[in-house]
Amino acid sequence: YHFVRVDHRHNYSMYWYWIYLARGKAAEVALTAAATTHNTSSLWGYIPLLPQIILLGFSSLGIAPYDLSFALFCQTFAFVTFNKVITAQYFTWYLCLLPLCSGRIKWNSKRMLISLAVVIVSIVAWLLSAFSLEMLGWRSHRQVWIASLFFFVANVNLLRSILGGYRAMKRKREALSAEPGRGWACIPAKGKKSLPYIKKRQ
């Protein structure tokens, strides 16, 4: 379905302006020419799938064998971010997977907090520009497109921060696991003391 879907309405994707212009061009020509344009647009529609295929392959081979739930989250997040069509309900696709792996991601780092703040700002910027286009009737198509580009960059940066936070927690886990009697469960929650050290019997 996503191979051929093109929809410029309520679309957060950075491709939405290209879709809007392509559909407008097809509407101006004759029916025969429109069919040819549609076929050409369909061929161009496969190009945005290349980054998705590369990222899905990387996460499948590089992450899934070691942490399946985190790989599923990264795959869905990357698919939504790089998709030609992104509407609001698409966010629930990866948010529902987040509880499965959120405990293995470092959320309280400075880089992570900045990345989350940038995503929130990009969403607000997109909503304001889209409101001016769809509700007020202003000719703010390029402003919405710029906001879509900002939203894309913010999400890519957030994914990088999540991967970095995951690696940081993984190194901490490996360091604790190297000591006898300690492991992942021994990482103390914020504001709590660590569990007492239990020596193994010889």
Side-chain angles (χ1 to χ4, degrees):
Y1 175 65
H2 287 277
F3 288 163
V4 296
R5 182 182 182 186
V6 285
D7 187 5
H8 66 279
R9 297 180 182 274
H10 321 296
N11 189 356
Y12 285 76
S13 175
M14 63 176 176
Y15 299 109
W16 88 268
Y17 195 42
W18 164 71
I19 295 173
Y20 172 77
L21 294 177
R23 296 188 69 173
K25 182 179 180 180
E28 293 176 355
V29 296
L31 294 177
T32 305
T36 305
T37 305
H38 176 71
N39 293 333
T40 305
S41 300
S42 298
L43 293 176
W44 281 99
Y46 289 100
I47 294 179
L49 296 176
L50 295 178
Q52 291 177 314
I53 294 174
I54 294 174
L55 291 172
L56 291 177
F58 169 77
S59 57
S60 298
L61 299 176
I63 303 177
Y66 310 99
D67 194 334
L68 180 58
S69 59
F70 183 67
L72 291 174
F73 169 78
C74 291
Q75 288 177 339
T76 310
F77 190 97
F79 175 82
V80 172
T81 301
F82 285 83
N83 202 31
K84 299 191 301 295
V85 178
I86 306 174
T87 53
Q89 65 267 25
Y90 281 39
F91 303 153
T92 61
W93 290 8
Y94 57 80
L95 288 177
C96 67
L97 298 172
L98 186 58
L100 300 177
C101 58
S102 61
R104 299 188 294 280
I105 302 172
K106 187 176 182 181
W107 296 101
N108 58 352
S109 65
K110 182 179 179 181
R111 177 182 177 182
M112 181 68 73
L113 295 177
I114 293 176
S115 299
L116 290 171
V118 171
V119 169
I120 294 174
V121 171
S122 68
I123 293 175
V124 173
W126 189 93
L127 290 174
L128 290 176
S129 58
F131 179 82
S132 66
L133 173 64
E134 297 190 11
M135 305 302 295
L136 301 181
W138 297 355
R139 296 182 177 179
S140 55
H141 298 79
R142 293 183 179 178
Q143 288 83 346
V144 178
W145 178 55
I146 293 174
S148 300
L149 292 175
F150 181 30
F151 178 75
F152 171 77
V153 173
N155 277 272
V156 171
N157 180 62
L158 178 59
L159 182 58
R160 291 181 67 245
S161 299
I162 290 174
L163 291 172
Y166 178 81
R167 286 193 294 265
M169 292 295 287
K170 185 178 180 181
R171 288 193 296 268
K172 186 175 182 180
R173 176 186 178 183
E174 292 174 349
L176 290 175
S177 299
E179 303 179 21
R182 297 177 68 85
W184 182 260
C186 295
I187 298 179
K190 189 174 181 181
K192 294 183 179 181
K193 296 182 179 180
S194 59
L195 297 175
Y197 182 80
I198 302 175
K199 293 184 178 180
K200 288 186 176 181
R201 295 183 179 180
Q202 300 295 335

